[in-house]
Amino acid sequence: MRNIIWDMGGTLIDTYPQVARTLASCVNDHVDASRSPGGSVPDHVTTEAVTELTMVSIDHAIQTLATRHQMDVGVLKQAYADLKERWRTQPAPVMPGARAIMAQVHDSGGLNLVATHRDRTSAQSLFTAVDMRADDLVCAPDGVDRKPSPAMNLLLLGRHGLRPDEVLCVGDRQIDVDAAHAADCPAALLDPTGALSTDAEYHIESLAQLSGLIG
């Protein structure tokens, strides 16, 4: 395979730890402010618990946390918006091995394509901040169905005249795998813990493991 359709957050750029810390801190500030004198002490939310929610989607995490902790959802959305603004000058780190694999794809004459749930302004700003470039970018907020729908993958395949069997879809969630298979593409699931269950053709713990598949 010479071409890759990449997921962005959690796959190319390690955004999840900062998102989890930001949302957890916002919730815990609310919990502390809501304590009544002499009343029971509400439990703080952990970054690990928030990370599990973000693995579905960040919007799911925000909505769930707001409901559980009786918060204004707008407060959490603003905290996330503020984080994205900080990423313009202090971006989340690039995932280890991402630059090397993207370079290998280009060296083999292939394309690095991105299908993300992130809004276009945020996605392009983050790529600029980390000095990365994709050959094409499809964002769900532009009006394309979100994963596990294959819509973003099919749009990229059609734009570039690619066959599904020559494109590997790489992501860090099962919905990335499901979207790949729905578009008849093979999938690689990035799972640094090695603990996730998946039907992906390739179950990798680091992006460097993709090297032998490209070309």
Side-chain angles (χ1 to χ4, degrees):
M1 290 167 286
R2 295 195 307 166
N3 311 283
I4 292 182
I5 295 179
W6 298 92
D7 177 53
M8 189 172 179
T11 302
L12 281 177
I13 302 178
D14 193 13
T15 55
Y16 285 127
Q18 291 186 21
V19 172
R21 286 195 297 269
T22 295
L23 296 182
S25 177
C26 187
V27 170
N28 292 332
D29 285 347
H30 170 78
V31 167
D32 290 341
S34 301
R35 288 177 178 169
S36 58
S40 60
V41 179
D43 290 335
H44 276 188
V45 66
T46 65
T47 55
E48 291 78 11
V50 177
T51 297
E52 289 185 10
L53 296 174
T54 61
M55 290 301 289
V56 177
S57 73
I58 292 173
D59 185 63
H60 170 76
I62 288 173
Q63 296 292 339
T64 301
L65 291 169
T67 300
R68 286 180 181 174
H69 299 278
Q70 299 180 338
M71 292 182 64
D72 178 357
V73 70
V75 174
L76 288 164
K77 287 184 176 181
Q78 186 59 54
Y80 179 47
D82 291 344
L83 175 62
K84 290 192 290 185
E85 184 61 29
R86 289 197 297 276
W87 280 339
R88 291 177 180 271
T89 55
Q90 304 171 57
V94 175
M95 291 294 283
R99 296 186 192 275
I101 297 299
M102 292 181 79
Q104 186 178 345
V105 168
H106 278 156
D107 289 345
S108 71
L111 297 172
N112 287 296
L113 310 172
V114 174
T116 179
H117 289 173
R118 190 176 301 275
D119 68 271
R120 184 166 295 274
T121 299
S122 170
Q124 291 177 330
S125 295
L126 193 49
F127 271 138
T128 298
V130 298
D131 193 25
M132 294 180 78
R133 183 182 66 83
D135 295 299
D136 198 358
L137 173 67
V138 171
C139 301
D142 287 345
V144 187
D145 288 344
R146 297 166 69 93
K147 305 169 191 176
S149 165
M152 287 190 282
N153 293 336
L154 292 173
L155 181 56
L156 288 168
L157 293 174
R159 276 183 184 174
H160 299 280
L162 300 172
R163 300 191 317 271
D165 63 356
E166 61 184 356
V167 178
L168 178 66
C169 296
V170 183
D172 63 298
R173 296 180 291 174
Q174 184 59 38
I175 61 170
D176 298 306
V177 176
D178 294 341
H181 290 167
D184 293 328
C185 295
L189 179 72
L190 175 61
D191 173 22
T193 68
L196 297 179
S197 176
T198 182
D199 58 346
E201 284 78 3
Y202 306 100
H203 192 174
I204 59 174
E205 296 185 10
S206 73
L207 294 180
Q209 292 174 255
L210 296 174
S211 180
L213 305 177
I214 306 303

